[in-house]
């Protein structure tokens, strides 16, 4: 039984065929001698290239590709998509650092609040139980911090 080919595999093969046809066309135009000998070969290659391009266009419709409009606009403005990618990663890292800082600040606030509430008579065991369930710093509360 023949192996299943995915649309991406088909597109890969079709792109290779297109590149081969373009390369052949480049060689034929570079080595153009007389219309009688080269014209028929070039016509055949151009027809083959056209067929490959039509097949690629039909196959590509079966693949769902979602490209964010910001990237398309970025490229249309003549900018490098690699720069966009680098900027996006930098913004994501900056946001992650901010969220980590906020998370750590809330954890410290939780522990301080638990320590203060835990000092109230009869609340220590309840606060310790809550901290244990939420993964808080029970050791900090025991220290009275």
């Amino acid at each position: 039984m023949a192996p299943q080919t995915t649309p991406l595999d088909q597109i890969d093969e079709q792109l290779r065929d297109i590149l081969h046809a373009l390369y052949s066309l480049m060689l034929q135009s570079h080595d153009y001698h007389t219309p009688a000998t080269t014209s028929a070969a070039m016509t055949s290659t151009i027809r083959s290239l056209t067929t490959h391009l039509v097949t690629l266009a039909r196959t590509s419709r079966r693949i769902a590709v979602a490209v964010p409009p910001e990237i398309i606009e970025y490229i249309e403005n003549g900018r490098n998509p690699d720069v966009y990618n680098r900027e996006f990663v930098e913004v994501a890292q900056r946001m992650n650092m901010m969220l980590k800082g906020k998370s750590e600040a809330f954890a410290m606030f939780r522990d301080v609040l638990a320590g203060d509430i835990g000092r109230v008579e009869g609340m220590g065991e309840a606060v310790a139980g809550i901290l244990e369930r939420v993964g808080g710093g029970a050791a900090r509360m025991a220290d009275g911090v």
Side-chain angles (χ1 to χ4, degrees), residues 2 4 27 30 39 43 63 66 78 98 103 108 123 127 145:
Q4 287 283 359
L27 290 177
H30 178 70
S39 180
T43 303
I63 296 177
M98 275 183 22
S103 177
M108 289 171 35
M123 296 295 290
V127 171
V145 178

Side-chain angles (χ1 to χ4, degrees), residues 99-117:
L99 288 174
K100 181 179 183 239
K102 284 182 180 181
S103 177
E104 290 172 352
F106 277 118
M108 289 171 35
F109 175 71
R110 176 200 60 216
D111 294 341
V112 169
L113 183 63
D116 289 345
I117 293 174

Side-chain angles (χ1 to χ4, degrees), residues 23-43:
Y23 183 73
S24 296
L25 195 58
M26 180 193 68
L27 290 177
Q28 291 167 1
S29 64
H30 178 70
D31 197 30
Y32 190 81
H33 293 293
T34 61
T37 58
T38 312
S39 180
M42 288 180 78
T43 303

Side-chain angles (χ1 to χ4, degrees), residues 81-97:
D82 291 334
V83 173
Y84 177 87
N85 190 29
R86 184 177 56 235
E87 289 173 357
F88 180 80
V89 168
E90 288 172 358
V91 167
Q93 287 175 338
R94 199 172 321 118
M95 293 297 295
N96 284 343
M97 288 184 346

